[in-house]
Amino acid sequence: MMKEKIAACRAQIDEALSKIASGEQLKEFHARFLGKAGAITALMRDLGQIPKEERPAAGQLINEFKNSVTERFKALEAEVAKREMQAKYDSESVDVSMPAVMHAPGALHPTSLVKARLCEVFAGMGFRVWEGSEIEDDYHNFTALNTPKDHPARDKQDTFYIGEDIVLRTHTSPGQIHCMETMKPPFKVVMPGRVFRCDDDATHTPMFHQIEGLVIDRHVSLCDLQGLLDTLAKAMFTPDTKTRFRPSYFPFTEPSVEVDVSCCECGGSGCRLCKGTGWIEILGGGVVNRRVIANCGLDPDEWTGLAFGAGLDRIAMLKYGVNNIHILYDGDQSILRQFRK
Ligand code: DAH
């Protein structure tokens, strides 16, 4: 009885095994014959219905049958896995003769080039490079820089307030305060970074870049500033670039100056770029106001300072002949590619 059942089952199994070609079919086979609800398990269950004395022999037959099926199943499983792996390898093979997707090399942005060059020049004069936070409190951005709440100079800068007394810095000058508060004088620092103002036209964007310079030492004077800025101008433009100081006003410097360089376009003879004057303004600076030094807890009778602030985008525009600041921020590859070395 059991022998016949096994023979019938074996016939089914032989047929099923011969048709298996995929992992999916293997799974189905396992469920149909070897799984908990499978045919061989059903044979085991049938044991209960046959006479007690025949059971051990029948049980042994079923076990042998199950073992042999399991063995064949495992062998086939290994073979199918091998075949499927081979098919995968074949289908994923790489065609080395296909033309490659070309990735053009990137380039440093003109503003980054100017920033890197200036940091290099100042590092060569013993300055350290320090980068502050783009979010400042009102105190560091204005008050400590001798620009109190009712000061008319605050009107000059339309500021992004992002909280009560918290602003996106309108200039890199708050870096001066942080340095004087934390560094031991004498020291020399340059501070490049992003700054923000509500401004948007051909020469202004809401975000732009400045570099701030600060020297704190004993007995520094406007002559030292002129020497520094002359070095800056010659390194940035050409070795024969000249600089000149014009009197100006900033709350945080006294005296204050605006600094012009001889026009990089015409060399000083007068052209459209310099509006016929031969000079182009590039930055503001001066001798650090005694009040600013005192605000930072230093003795203004002992320590003196020089400071300047320059627009990096403006210098990049002058240096590379870009006439609209938006060109620097449009992300136009055909323009930016030209700065690839
Ligand atoms: N912070 C000024 C501005 O954004 C630029 C400036 C002027 C910086 C004079 C200075 C300075 O350090 O001494 O317009």
Side-chain angles (χ1 to χ4, degrees):
M1 208 22 208
M2 183 53 76
K3 267 193 184 154
E4 280 107 64
K5 276 191 182 169
I6 288 178
C9 189
R10 176 175 291 125
Q12 283 178 17
I13 284 176
D14 286 348
E15 201 200 330
L17 280 179
S18 71
K19 287 186 184 154
I20 287 178
S22 69
E24 206 47 46
Q25 289 165 331
L26 273 170
K27 263 193 216 154
E28 278 167 28
F29 175 91
H30 193 273
R32 186 171 157 206
F33 296 104
L34 291 164
K36 270 191 195 143
I40 299 180
T41 317
L43 293 179
M44 296 277 200
R45 237 179 280 122
D46 289 350
L47 273 181
Q49 286 155 22
I50 62 175
K52 214 174 172 185
E53 54 286 2
E54 290 173 25
R55 260 182 232 163
Q60 199 186 341
L61 275 183
I62 298 175
N63 271 335
E64 281 168 13
F65 175 52
K66 185 175 182 177
N67 288 343
S68 81
V69 174
T70 305
E71 234 168 72
R72 288 170 70 192
F73 175 80
K74 285 204 170 133
L76 190 59
E77 194 177 42
E79 202 184 306
V80 168
K82 209 169 134 190
R83 246 188 277 141
E84 286 189 339
M85 190 59 87
Q86 190 57 49
K88 192 167 169 262
Y89 286 155
D90 292 347
S91 71
E92 286 179 358
S93 64
V94 177
D95 179 356
V96 290
S97 66
M98 286 256 289
V101 180
M102 299 300 282
H103 294 286
L108 284 179
H109 188 276
T111 304
S112 303
L113 290 172
V114 166
K115 168 181 153 178
R117 178 72 185 126
L118 287 178
C119 288
E120 185 182 54
V121 168
F122 280 101
M125 293 191 277
F127 280 67
R128 69 172 105 163
V129 180
W130 187 86
E131 287 187 53
S133 162
E134 290 167 13
I135 295 175
E136 278 292 355
D137 54 20
D138 184 285
Y139 175 77
H140 286 86
N141 195 78
F142 294 120
T143 313
L145 286 159
N146 198 33
T147 316
K149 280 233 152 44
D150 54 354
H151 196 287
R154 284 203 187 199
D155 296 340
K156 279 193 193 171
Q157 298 173 340
D158 267 350
T159 307
F160 290 110
Y161 278 84
I162 60 168
E164 179 91 9
D165 288 340
I166 303 290
V167 300
L168 296 184
R169 64 178 174 193
T170 57
H171 50 179
T172 42
S173 303
Q176 291 188 29
I177 306 302
H178 290 291
C179 290
M180 281 190 263
E181 282 173 344
T182 55
M183 293 176 188
K184 199 170 168 304
F187 61 79
K188 297 186 270 192
V189 218
V190 277
M191 300 161 253
R194 289 196 189 103
V195 300
F196 307 84
R197 291 181 205 175
C198 304
D199 253 345
D200 206 1
D201 58 37
T203 50
H204 299 87
T205 44
M207 185 282 298
F208 59 105
H209 299 80
Q210 290 189 331
I211 189 165
E212 192 82 13
L214 176 67
V215 177
I216 297 290
D217 207 336
R218 297 181 175 89
H219 316 300
V220 292
S221 73
L222 214 53
C223 296
D224 300 307
L225 185 65
Q226 179 136 39
L228 271 181
L229 297 180
D230 210 55
T231 309
L232 176 159
K234 287 181 164 54
M236 206 61 241
F237 299 103
T238 54
D240 52 5
T241 303
K242 294 181 189 64
T243 46
R244 75 171 185 188
F245 279 16
R246 278 180 294 107
S248 183
Y249 172 76
F250 298 103
F252 31 92
T253 42
E254 179 59 38
S256 302
V257 291
E258 257 161 355
V259 182
D260 297 340
V261 291
S262 51
C263 179
C264 47
E265 188 76 19
C266 62
S269 55
C271 68
R272 259 181 61 187
L273 182 65
C274 59
K275 301 193 181 88
T277 64
W279 295 96
I280 291 179
E281 184 202 326
I282 60 156
L283 54 81
V287 173
V288 179
N289 193 309
R290 289 173 59 85
R291 289 188 182 206
V292 175
I293 294 186
N295 284 345
C296 300
L298 298 177
D299 176 1
D301 289 325
E302 182 181 5
W303 298 107
T304 51
L306 295 175
F308 65 88
L312 292 175
D313 315 271
R314 180 168 164 72
I315 294 178
M317 287 166 72
L318 290 171
K319 187 171 168 68
Y320 300 115
V322 177
N323 58 9
N324 185 321
I325 190 169
H326 291 268
I327 289 176
L328 293 181
Y329 294 115
D330 282 348
D332 183 340
Q333 287 290 316
S334 63
I335 301 222
L336 297 176
R337 252 199 304 272
Q338 298 173 39
F339 296 92
R340 216 188 277 156
K341 282 213 178 114

